[in-house]
Amino acid sequence: MYKKVQKKNFFSFAFRWFFRTFAFAKRRNFASWNMKTGLFTGTFDPFTIGHDSIVRRALPLFDRLVIGVVGDNVNKPGMTPVLERMEAIERLYADEPRIEVKPYYGLAVALARTEGAHFIVKGVRSVKDYEYEREQAEVNRLISKGEVETILFFAEPHLASISSSTVRELEHFGLDASALVAAAPVKEQSI
């Protein structure tokens, strides 16, 4: 008899807890728990058409996609200021309310926690990129105690050779690389 009472009390408690926690989610502002948030991080110096491809392909998977722009990459000194890079990306996605652009300093996992993202989106162009991103994914999973997973998107074949480094190098030698940089369309002004 004791086991029946104990079992009944457990299920009664579990039902009450579930009902209180989730049935009134909107009233208690827990609705965002069900929102799927992805995080796409990078230096984006500059934001290329390859980056844009990854964002547009990842967006259908999420209710919200945060583009985290690295503000302090020790491996890449002399970057364009973070606010300039952010403004360029914000202009590109001005008509897409599900995309937010934010700067971050430190680890991507810390930004993921702050933004409530359980998925980090990364683009992969080659085996070299894959190996690097695989190692980062393992470290991120370890640091986050399994709360953050990494989703890899393979570059479209015609974009596989495009990188921010390539764009910067072409510009350094005075060549026009604007076709490789994602830019918001210029709006015509009516007179």
Side-chain angles (χ1 to χ4, degrees), residues 37-44 47 51-52 54-56 59 64-70 85-86 89-90 92-93 96 98-104 111 115 121:
T37 300
L39 175 64
F40 183 41
T41 61
T43 54
F44 306 126
F47 196 82
H51 295 130
D52 180 51
I54 299 297
V55 168
R56 295 193 189 279
L59 194 56
R64 176 174 164 251
L65 184 62
V66 176
I67 299 175
V69 182
V70 176
R85 290 180 278 142
M86 286 177 55
I89 298 168
E90 286 169 344
L92 183 62
Y93 300 112
E96 180 50 73
R98 295 177 297 162
I99 294 177
E100 297 176 27
V101 181
K102 302 202 172 180
Y104 80 99
L111 181 62
E115 295 299 325
V121 173

Side-chain angles (χ1 to χ4, degrees), residues 80-134:
T80 305
V82 68
L83 292 178
E84 285 182 34
R85 290 180 278 142
M86 286 177 55
E87 287 170 1
I89 298 168
E90 286 169 344
R91 280 192 306 273
L92 183 62
Y93 300 112
D95 295 333
E96 180 50 73
R98 295 177 297 162
I99 294 177
E100 297 176 27
V101 181
K102 302 202 172 180
Y104 80 99
Y105 303 86
L107 298 174
V109 171
L111 181 62
R113 283 187 183 132
T114 301
E115 295 299 325
H118 294 285
F119 304 98
I120 294 177
V121 173
K122 299 302 278 183
V124 176
R125 295 168 300 178
S126 64
V127 173
K128 181 180 167 185
D129 282 356
Y130 173 78
E131 285 299 321
Y132 175 79
E133 296 300 347
R134 183 187 58 77

Side-chain angles (χ1 to χ4, degrees), residues 20-31:
R20 278 190 226 139
T21 304
F22 296 104
F24 298 110
K26 288 183 180 176
R27 191 179 87 195
R28 295 179 64 193
N29 199 22
F30 289 131

